[in-house]
Amino acid sequence: MEEGRSDLKEASRLERALSAESGGGGGDSGSDSGRKKFMRLLRLFFACMVSGGIQYGWALQLSLLSPYSQTLGISHTYVSLTWICGPISGFVVQPIVGYYSDRCTMRIGRRRPFILAGCLVICISVMLIGFSADIGRRLGDTKEHCSTYTGPRWSAAIVYIAGFWFLDFANNTVQGPARAMMADISAGHHGPSVGQAIFSLWMAIGSILGYLAGANAKWHEWFPSLKTAACCDACANLKGAFFTAVALIVISMTVTMLLADEKPLYKVDVDTSSGGGWSAFGDLFKSFKNLSPAMFKVLAVTAITWLSWFPFFQYNTDWMGREIYHGDPHGKGVKADSYNAGVREGAVGLLLCSISLGVTSFLIPKLCRKLTSKVVWSISNFLVFIIMTVMVVVGMVSMKGYRPSLSATLTGSDPTLKAIALTIFALIGVPQAVLFSVPWVVASEVAAEEGGGQGLTVGVLNIAIVVPQLIIALTAGPIDGAFNKGNTPAFGIGGAFAFICAVLALFLLPKTRGISHAAVVASGH
């Protein structure tokens, strides 16, 4: 899944670091030294701009693509299957790219070749997704106008799925090297914590801008040429948002390529004793034999935590469009308009979620020191249980008495239910801040106490994240289809896992109070 974001906490660290770096002593020489440090920090800041561009695209992917895929004929039951590329790419791509980026000897550095290649593939992928309906029409899909046709468009769906997979693989190709590059180039003058703070700050900026773009319903009005016979308003809005993603990624990638002061690696310094990129998997699985019981408990609680969260990541905006706005992605007229309005409102909710996540990140270190990390983790899962239970209840209340035959008279959602739904989105950012930080802290501290390596810790914890994502991606849609209750079964299952995890966290996790640099290590998509 993409990555967890302790953004504003790290921004605060960055601000303190900036103050310390520019504080310099008295006199002209001290002032000149302070200016040089400030300029180095400023250059480091813009060298990480690519992470903001990538996160902008990920925010669009998270908020818009599940709803859009259903307009192409992919049923709600099988939407979750399109997301299996996320955990698969996170599991396969990151170790291999990490291995080869550590050993790359190109003149432009170790990380920048992978950042460049990944960004170019991302640009191609989002264009495939944005133009999938138009390409599908060229390949033989219906010639009927999109305003009247509501059936499947299988050629477009195939193009969309191909673009989706390439996008996730490319995202993972960029994120690992970009984060490693920040650790490389910040180590000399500022320290890796400042580099990771900048990385997280750019991700926060990208998330906010991306969700704003996803909530915008004016792209097709500002750029009328985006609309075609195969691509009506909602499709044109997605296309316009992805055009801005391409522009932002190209700009941010260019700035990073020019300003990153990355030193090349010489061939004589490369370790050639290992068996290549695939050997990383062998080393990773062998390491499971040596894990302590405490680390196994951390991995178990982490896995169950992600089982509770992934339904929300898959269906958040779809829930708003279906259950709250009573829309239908396969419908036309008011039904389609209501669904699209709900999806845009869901993007606004995700923006509120990002803001509350960032604000909560300030409080997590103090809470962990006061209550211990395992108590904070347990409380966050109780909150997820409560929030998902409320989502199930609100969805059922919204749909109670609703008649599809009366949908032509609907002009929007019930204002009270809309307010409750947006509040839910805002509140879920609180436990999400814990999700994106505390598991890494607990695992890191267990590894430190028992003499384990931090790199190994990241690798095994990543498995505990991507495997549950894969399980939910394969099962959530079919379960929803079996009960024919929209998103309610998936959220109910997520709430049940959250409750189980809240109890297990209290009894299984070790007592830890610190919050370390591991809090900003990414979990991947």
Side-chain angles (χ1 to χ4, degrees):
M1 210 32 208
E2 244 170 249
E3 287 196 356
R5 335 287 192 229
S6 298
D7 302 302
L8 296 185
K9 171 171 70 69
E10 290 300 333
S12 176
R13 291 182 183 176
L14 173 61
E15 184 178 358
R16 294 195 299 269
L18 178 60
S19 175
E21 291 285 1
S22 59
D28 293 338
S29 61
S31 177
D32 184 60
S33 175
R35 282 194 296 270
K36 289 182 179 179
K37 291 180 180 179
F38 174 79
M39 293 306 296
R40 282 197 296 264
L41 188 60
L42 189 64
R43 178 169 181 167
L44 183 67
F45 176 78
F46 284 105
C48 192
M49 189 176 179
V50 70
S51 65
I54 299 304
Q55 188 61 25
Y56 181 94
W58 171 247
L60 292 176
Q61 181 179 357
L62 187 64
S63 60
L64 298 181
L65 292 194
S66 282
Y68 176 68
S69 65
Q70 296 176 69
T71 68
L72 302 179
I74 301 174
S75 70
H76 184 270
T77 301
Y78 298 109
V79 165
S80 63
L81 298 180
T82 64
W83 286 86
I84 64 174
C85 56
I88 290 175
S89 63
F91 179 72
V92 174
V93 174
Q94 286 196 17
I96 294 177
V97 169
Y99 176 90
Y100 285 110
S101 70
D102 283 343
R103 293 160 176 78
C104 179
T105 58
M106 295 184 67
R107 293 181 60 184
I108 61 174
R110 290 188 290 173
R111 319 298 182 184
R112 281 187 287 185
F114 295 91
I115 293 173
L116 175 61
C119 285
L120 293 178
V121 176
I122 288 174
C123 291
I124 296 171
S125 301
V126 297
M127 287 295 94
L128 277 176
I129 293 172
F131 284 89
S132 57
D134 299 296
I135 297 172
R137 186 181 178 90
R138 295 272 186 176
L139 293 177
D141 282 341
T142 179
K143 299 300 181 182
E144 189 176 341
H145 197 275
C146 56
S147 61
T148 58
Y149 181 74
T150 59
R153 290 175 280 178
W154 298 123
S155 296
I158 292 172
V159 173
Y160 161 81
I161 292 173
F164 197 108
W165 276 73
F166 279 119
L167 178 59
D168 257 12
F169 274 79
N171 278 334
N172 280 284
T173 299
V174 175
Q175 286 174 352
R179 195 177 277 277
M181 184 183 71
M182 288 304 293
D184 294 342
I185 65 179
S186 64
H189 296 290
H190 307 290
S193 62
V194 175
Q196 297 303 327
I198 295 172
F199 191 95
S200 294
L201 178 58
W202 273 114
M203 294 183 70
I205 295 171
S207 292
I208 292 172
L209 294 178
Y211 290 134
L212 283 174
N216 180 28
K218 301 292 185 180
W219 294 114
H220 71 282
E221 296 179 6
W222 296 342
F223 306 100
S225 61
L226 296 176
K227 294 180 63 175
T228 65
C231 185
C232 290
D233 292 357
C235 171
N237 285 331
L238 179 140
K239 194 186 295 183
F242 275 162
F243 263 123
T244 63
V246 170
L248 188 57
I249 288 171
V250 170
I251 293 171
S252 62
M253 176 195 69
T254 303
V255 172
T256 294
M257 296 294 291
L258 292 176
L259 295 184
D261 187 21
E262 191 182 8
K263 306 300 181 185
L265 180 68
Y266 297 105
K267 292 183 178 180
V268 294
D269 298 323
V270 176
D271 178 15
T272 59
S273 60
S274 62
W278 291 103
S279 65
F281 293 100
D283 296 339
L284 190 60
F285 285 112
K286 288 177 183 177
S287 68
F288 274 97
K289 298 179 181 179
N290 301 320
L291 289 180
S292 67
M295 184 60 74
F296 270 116
K297 293 176 181 178
V298 173
L299 297 182
V301 176
T302 300
I304 298 174
T305 298
W306 276 91
L307 284 173
S308 70
W309 270 98
F310 206 55
F312 175 80
F313 291 139
Q314 285 189 140
Y315 295 125
N316 43 47
T317 55
D318 185 74
W319 175 76
M320 187 74 84
R322 285 178 180 271
E323 274 85 340
I324 304 304
Y325 274 72
H326 302 153
D328 184 354
H330 303 295
K332 56 183 178 181
V334 173
K335 294 172 71 175
D337 292 342
S338 296
Y339 181 79
N340 293 328
V343 170
R344 292 193 297 271
E345 200 69 28
V348 174
L350 291 173
L351 172 62
L352 298 176
C353 174
S354 295
I355 294 172
S356 65
L357 184 157
V359 173
T360 305
S361 295
F362 282 112
L363 305 176
I364 290 178
K366 293 181 180 179
L367 289 173
C368 288
R369 287 192 293 269
K370 186 175 182 179
L371 301 176
T372 73
S373 296
K374 77 171 188 176
V375 171
V376 172
W377 196 342
S378 177
I379 291 173
S380 73
N381 278 287
F382 272 120
L383 287 176
V384 174
F385 164 68
I386 293 171
I387 290 171
M388 289 200 173
T389 301
V390 173
M391 292 183 77
V392 170
V393 172
V394 169
M396 294 174 66
V397 170
S398 178
M399 298 301 291
K400 185 178 181 180
Y402 167 70
R403 297 290 184 271
S405 60
L406 302 178
S407 62
T409 65
L410 296 176
T411 58
S413 69
D414 180 275
T416 301
L417 293 178
K418 172 184 171 182
I420 294 174
L422 288 176
T423 302
I424 289 171
F425 274 77
L427 290 177
I428 206 167
V430 175
Q432 198 171 97
V434 177
L435 174 75
F436 290 154
S437 60
V438 174
W440 301 94
V441 174
V442 176
S444 177
E445 291 179 349
V446 169
E449 290 175 1
E450 299 179 353
Q454 295 298 330
L456 174 62
T457 300
V458 172
V460 296
L461 200 61
N462 188 56
I463 292 178
I465 292 172
V466 299
V467 171
Q469 289 180 0
L470 186 61
I471 292 172
I472 293 298
L474 290 172
T475 60
I479 291 174
D480 283 348
F483 286 94
N484 195 27
K485 295 291 183 180
N487 300 294
T488 299
F491 289 153
I493 292 172
F497 278 122
F499 182 83
I500 293 171
C501 191
V503 176
L504 291 179
L506 287 176
F507 291 98
L508 293 184
L509 293 177
K511 291 183 178 180
T512 56
R513 294 183 181 275
I515 192 118
S516 67
H517 172 61
V520 296
V521 179
S523 63
H525 301 154

